[in-house]
Amino acid sequence: MENFNNYFNLRNVNDFNYQNYKIPKYLAQILPSNKNAKILDIGCGFGFFLRELKKGGYLSIKGIDLSNQAIDFCLSQGLEVQRANIIDFA
């Protein structure tokens, strides 16, 4: 797992990137119109997608990721995330 966390240390995550993220068109087209829909972002990373969903008014959004660094960053941004591996849900 340590190697996975080191991967995120190499990524350039800064306010500019975070503030200028836009949901890709292919995802925007399939988002539910119901703002109460439950959405789970698997592999949420630093929460770019979650943040945009929150700004868009979605109320029941959560993320999971393996990286402690990514989780800590998301939590510092007020996003609901937890450290989890999708395989654990199978």
Side-chain angles (χ1 to χ4, degrees):
M1 194 58 59
E2 186 60 35
N3 288 338
F4 188 80
N5 283 320
N6 285 337
Y7 165 76
F8 284 100
N9 289 331
L10 300 175
R11 297 203 40 199
N12 182 19
V13 176
N14 56 46
D15 279 341
F16 177 79
N17 292 335
Y18 199 70
Q19 298 295 330
N20 291 298
Y21 174 82
K22 301 290 182 223
I23 295 176
K25 287 181 184 180
Y26 70 92
L27 288 177
Q29 292 174 352
I30 62 170
L31 286 175
S33 58
N34 178 0
K35 301 294 183 167
N36 292 312
K38 293 181 180 182
I39 300 175
L40 175 63
D41 185 0
I42 300 168
C44 65
F46 289 91
F48 296 119
F49 182 60
L50 289 172
R51 182 174 176 273
E52 289 302 305
L53 289 174
K54 188 174 181 178
K55 283 177 28 182
Y58 287 91
L59 302 172
S60 185
I61 56 174
K62 296 180 182 178
I64 63 171
D65 204 279
L66 293 173
S67 168
N68 292 329
Q69 181 187 8
I71 295 300
D72 290 345
F73 183 82
C74 287
L75 292 172
S76 77
Q77 301 299 308
L79 300 172
E80 188 173 341
V81 297
Q82 70 181 53
R83 187 178 185 287
N85 187 336
I86 190 63
I87 293 172
D88 296 336
F89 292 95

